[in-house]
Amino acid sequence: MSGMASDHNNSSQEEYIPHYLQKEDPFSSKLSREADIVAGFYLTIIGILSTLGNGYVIFMSSKRKKKLRPAEIMTVNLAVCDLGISVVGKPFSIISFFSHRWMFGWIGCRWYGWAGFFFGCGSLITMTAVSLDRYLKICHLSYGTWLKRHHAFICLAIIWAYATFWATVPFAGVGSYAPEPFGTSCTLDWWLAQASVAGQAFVLSILFFCLLFPTAVIVFSYVKIILKVKSSTKEVAHYDTRIQNSHILEMKLTKVAMLICAGFLLAWIPYAVVSVWSAFGRPDSVPIQFSVVPTLLAKSAAMYNPIIYQVIDCKFACCRSRGLKAKSSLKKSRTYTISAHRDSTAVSETQLE
């Protein structure tokens, strides 16, 4: 019986034909022309805001590049990844949505899929590295003080090598890039898992090393940070001003990192769920109109980061300016008290004479 079941499973996998190999043109849009135009305008707005925002972050960081802390260097790398997605990838999909079909053939499809996965993987691994940096700085001070700028650059080299490896693996015949079911975008060939055991192994490897494992590290790091902050807030209040200011800066960087990670995961998790269902659920059970929404949401992730960074940065600057004003007013009051004391002493001496 088990042999018959395995034969049936193998035959069903062999019989499965993915949507892009069926008789229909895989690059023609399966959406209405009006829906494509709306999606095209949406991606145009997202692309412009993302390019301007991430470009601004990179430009402002370049003006103080020698003073950047390790966590800030990682933030700049995240902006580079998001800018890469906006500049390299979005024009392809925008033109295709407005044209009501994918305009760049199989070569363009594979390039677009590679670029999207490369920069997306780079973004997630960068956020994983940032979460570990925050974890060490907050929870293990001895290791946190050991981390310097050159360690950040070594980490960047590892991140780019990691993203390059996993994005290029499909070209080695292990996996592939293919059109989305709606026709005007391309992605990893999740549908290989429906066709063979090797395809399932490829998809599971991608899911573990490029989504589940990095996400688990991020969640672990920030949960430990939150627990540590709750237990050490009262202790920091007894330290001198310099240590308190350093703690405030570390917490500011941690808030930026937490919000950026949350925004990225919220944007990508719906797409990941749909992709996993496409790979391991009932074949072609995801409606085409439904599959386009998570894709568009994931493409908006590159826009959030510079907004989060600037909002937190402005809030931190306001708090810092208030602190400086308070310090200056306190200094003035001390000066006035001392001078008044001196004047009263001089008056009393005159009266004595």
Side-chain angles (χ1 to χ4, degrees), residues 237-347:
H238 298 290
Y239 295 153
D240 59 29
T241 305
R242 186 177 62 181
I243 296 177
Q244 288 180 359
N245 290 339
S246 176
H247 179 75
I248 290 172
L249 179 58
E250 295 296 342
M251 291 312 302
K252 173 243 177 179
L253 294 173
T254 303
K255 287 179 181 179
V256 171
M258 289 179 68
L259 288 173
I260 286 175
C261 290
F264 184 91
L265 293 176
L266 287 175
W268 278 96
I269 282 176
Y271 179 77
V273 170
V274 172
S275 299
V276 171
W277 184 259
S278 299
F280 300 102
R282 190 163 55 85
D284 302 324
S285 59
V286 179
I288 292 176
Q289 290 77 9
F290 180 76
S291 66
V292 71
V293 176
T295 302
L296 295 177
L297 180 62
K299 293 179 187 298
S300 68
M303 181 188 68
Y304 304 147
N305 299 341
I307 296 174
I308 294 170
Y309 186 79
Q310 292 303 317
V311 168
I312 296 294
D313 200 45
C314 290
K315 183 178 178 182
F316 175 73
C318 291
C319 295
R320 186 169 54 185
S321 63
R322 288 176 186 172
L324 291 173
K325 287 179 180 178
K327 286 182 180 179
S328 62
S329 62
L330 180 61
K331 187 176 180 180
K332 288 180 180 177
S333 64
R334 286 178 177 175
T335 305
Y336 176 77
T337 304
I338 294 171
S339 61
H341 176 72
R342 288 178 179 174
D343 291 342
S344 62
T345 304
V347 169

Side-chain angles (χ1 to χ4, degrees), residues 110-287:
R110 293 187 178 101
W111 160 251
Y112 178 86
W114 180 90
F117 185 52
F118 172 72
F119 288 115
C121 181
S123 295
L124 183 57
I125 303 304
T126 299
M127 286 185 284
T128 306
V130 170
S131 68
L132 286 174
D133 173 77
R134 297 293 86 212
Y135 169 70
L136 293 175
K137 287 285 177 107
I138 303 297
C139 301
H140 298 281
L141 294 177
S142 58
Y143 291 101
T145 55
W146 175 76
L147 292 172
K148 304 299 181 184
R149 281 170 57 91
H150 66 275
H151 295 115
F153 290 113
I154 293 173
C155 189
L156 290 185
I158 296 173
I159 290 169
W160 288 110
Y162 193 92
T164 301
F165 173 78
W166 284 108
T168 310
V169 159
F171 292 129
V174 180
S176 182
Y177 294 100
E180 297 269 16
F182 51 87
T184 47
S185 181
C186 294
T187 184
L188 276 168
D189 192 348
W190 303 104
W191 302 271
L192 284 174
Q194 297 281 358
S196 66
V197 175
Q200 292 177 358
F202 163 73
V203 171
L204 288 173
S205 299
I206 290 291
L207 286 173
F208 179 78
F209 289 105
C210 299
L211 179 64
L212 297 179
F213 178 68
T215 302
V217 173
I218 290 171
V219 172
F220 167 81
S221 299
Y222 289 124
V223 168
K224 297 293 286 185
I225 287 171
I226 291 170
L227 296 176
K228 180 67 176 180
V229 168
K230 283 186 176 180
S231 64
S232 63
T233 302
K234 294 181 180 179
E235 297 177 6
V236 175
H238 298 290
Y239 295 153
D240 59 29
T241 305
R242 186 177 62 181
I243 296 177
Q244 288 180 359
N245 290 339
S246 176
H247 179 75
I248 290 172
L249 179 58
E250 295 296 342
M251 291 312 302
K252 173 243 177 179
L253 294 173
T254 303
K255 287 179 181 179
V256 171
M258 289 179 68
L259 288 173
I260 286 175
C261 290
F264 184 91
L265 293 176
L266 287 175
W268 278 96
I269 282 176
Y271 179 77
V273 170
V274 172
S275 299
V276 171
W277 184 259
S278 299
F280 300 102
R282 190 163 55 85
D284 302 324
S285 59
V286 179

Side-chain angles (χ1 to χ4, degrees), residues 68-148:
L68 291 176
R69 302 160 67 90
E72 293 174 312
I73 293 173
M74 293 296 173
T75 303
V76 174
N77 190 65
L78 186 59
V80 171
C81 292
D82 291 339
L83 185 65
I85 293 175
S86 302
V87 173
V88 175
K90 282 189 173 60
F92 286 81
S93 55
I94 290 171
I95 293 171
S96 297
F97 273 113
F98 281 126
S99 302
H100 199 50
R101 64 173 288 109
W102 179 259
M103 299 295 294
F104 306 98
W106 277 103
I107 294 177
C109 181
R110 293 187 178 101
W111 160 251
Y112 178 86
W114 180 90
F117 185 52
F118 172 72
F119 288 115
C121 181
S123 295
L124 183 57
I125 303 304
T126 299
M127 286 185 284
T128 306
V130 170
S131 68
L132 286 174
D133 173 77
R134 297 293 86 212
Y135 169 70
L136 293 175
K137 287 285 177 107
I138 303 297
C139 301
H140 298 281
L141 294 177
S142 58
Y143 291 101
T145 55
W146 175 76
L147 292 172
K148 304 299 181 184

